[in-house]
Amino acid sequence: MTGPAAVAAPDAAGSAWSDELSFALALADRAGAVLMDHYERLEQIDYKSARDVVTEADHLSEALILDAIRARFPADALLAEETGEHRAIAGEAPTSGRGRVWIVDPLDGTVNYANGLPVFCVSIGLVVDGVPTVGVILDPTRREIFAATLDGPAALNGRPVRTSEKDKLSDFVISMALNGRTAATRARNVRKAIRISRSMGSAALALAYVANGRFDAFIQQGGLSAWDVAAAGLIAERGGATVTSLSGGPWFDLAAKTRTIGILAAPPAHHGAILKLVG
């Protein structure tokens, strides 16, 4: 996958993170090309668990990304979906909340990818002192790249985007996944209040969609890890969404255990109402 649209950047001239953003955009494009080169031509699929497959493309994409980050920013730590934590040269652990750590999911939506469903993405985020600072989400099948910095706008293929401006919650189309003993009741309450819910099979891409209103809101209770939300949550937030945990607190915590993160992203005018429905 190549082309100017794929690596277009928002106007980041005034951003303190313009170099890192440009690097992440170009790197995501290269990783996306690897995924598309192997799409529907996989030779091997390994099963990590009944619900989570790992493809050769997943490993190749991650290796490309990590090698490029090490070469360009050798002092930075790494946290990757497949290979876990890689300490910085200075010795800081990626989950310490100190210094710079790149958080990578080389292929979010692995099951979709392995089954030929064209809904998956590459996620690359930079977290500085525990704060998401740069985020890039690439959908290689649609040649779309969402991007944001902490001090800049959210953009899709270089053009600024904004979250949904719908007046009525009853018109909302949302991405939703709830769990727990009362999940069915809470999900029913939400569905009564909105138009419809959808599940894409790629949390990072669905969360990024909040930034431009494709999804009016994103709700997931648990099941997420730092690499699912670091980039996409920043993009949604810089697009104008209010992003929190499902308790209403901060949405990002480097120390959170794998698959324990829950998140709600919604337009500010409706965030509180949705939070009450899922609480």
Side-chain angles (χ1 to χ4, degrees):
M1 192 203 96
T2 59
V7 294
D11 182 4
S15 172
W17 311 102
S18 57
D19 288 346
E20 288 86 351
L21 176 61
S22 296
F23 167 79
L25 287 164
L27 183 54
D29 190 57
R30 291 172 57 200
V34 170
L35 298 184
M36 295 310 294
D37 283 346
H38 290 77
Y39 184 51
E40 297 191 308
R41 293 196 294 272
L42 293 173
E43 296 180 359
Q44 179 179 352
I45 298 177
D46 299 323
Y47 288 83
K48 289 193 295 188
S49 70
R51 294 186 179 182
D52 197 2
V53 298
V54 179
T55 67
E56 58 185 318
D58 203 337
H59 292 299
L60 289 170
S61 175
E62 180 166 300
L64 182 153
I65 294 169
L66 298 191
D67 286 349
I69 293 172
R70 289 189 186 105
R72 178 66 177 82
F73 300 103
D76 292 357
L78 300 163
L79 178 62
E81 199 270 344
E82 294 302 331
T83 57
E85 298 188 29
H86 304 259
R87 283 182 175 268
I89 289 176
E92 291 289 358
T95 55
S96 70
R98 297 183 297 272
R100 292 165 45 116
V101 54
W102 292 87
I103 300 183
V104 174
D105 193 338
L107 172 53
D108 185 62
T110 314
V111 174
N112 286 351
Y113 183 88
N115 283 273
L117 298 173
V119 183
F120 51 88
C121 68
V122 177
S123 175
I124 301 175
L126 173 63
V127 173
V128 180
D129 294 331
V131 179
T133 303
V134 175
V136 169
I137 299 288
L138 169 71
D139 175 353
T141 67
R142 292 176 60 86
R143 299 175 58 80
E144 291 187 338
I145 194 156
F146 291 84
T149 60
L150 181 62
D151 57 356
L156 171 57
N157 287 351
R159 297 182 177 182
V161 291
R162 293 293 297 174
T163 193
S164 171
E165 296 181 349
K166 290 179 181 175
D167 292 329
K168 298 179 181 178
L169 187 58
S170 58
D171 291 331
F172 271 35
V173 177
I174 69 171
S175 173
M176 180 171 66
L178 301 177
N179 60 35
R181 289 185 299 174
T182 62
T185 299
R186 288 180 288 118
R188 185 164 55 249
N189 291 339
V190 174
R191 291 190 179 104
K192 287 180 180 178
I194 65 171
R195 182 182 180 190
I196 200 165
S197 64
R198 288 283 186 257
S199 178
M200 290 175 55
S202 172
L205 190 57
L207 180 54
Y209 276 7
V210 175
N212 72 334
R214 286 183 183 162
F215 277 126
D216 299 295
F218 175 95
I219 309 166
Q220 184 156 338
Q221 183 179 25
L224 299 175
S225 302
W227 44 80
D228 296 308
V229 302
L234 175 64
I235 292 166
E237 192 169 62
R238 298 309 298 171
T242 296
V243 186
T244 67
S245 67
L246 264 69
S247 64
W251 62 271
F252 189 76
D253 180 3
L254 261 176
K257 294 182 179 179
T258 301
R259 300 184 186 279
T260 63
I261 295 173
I263 200 165
L264 167 59
H270 299 282
H271 182 276
I274 296 174
L275 192 63
K276 288 181 180 179
L277 289 171
V278 299

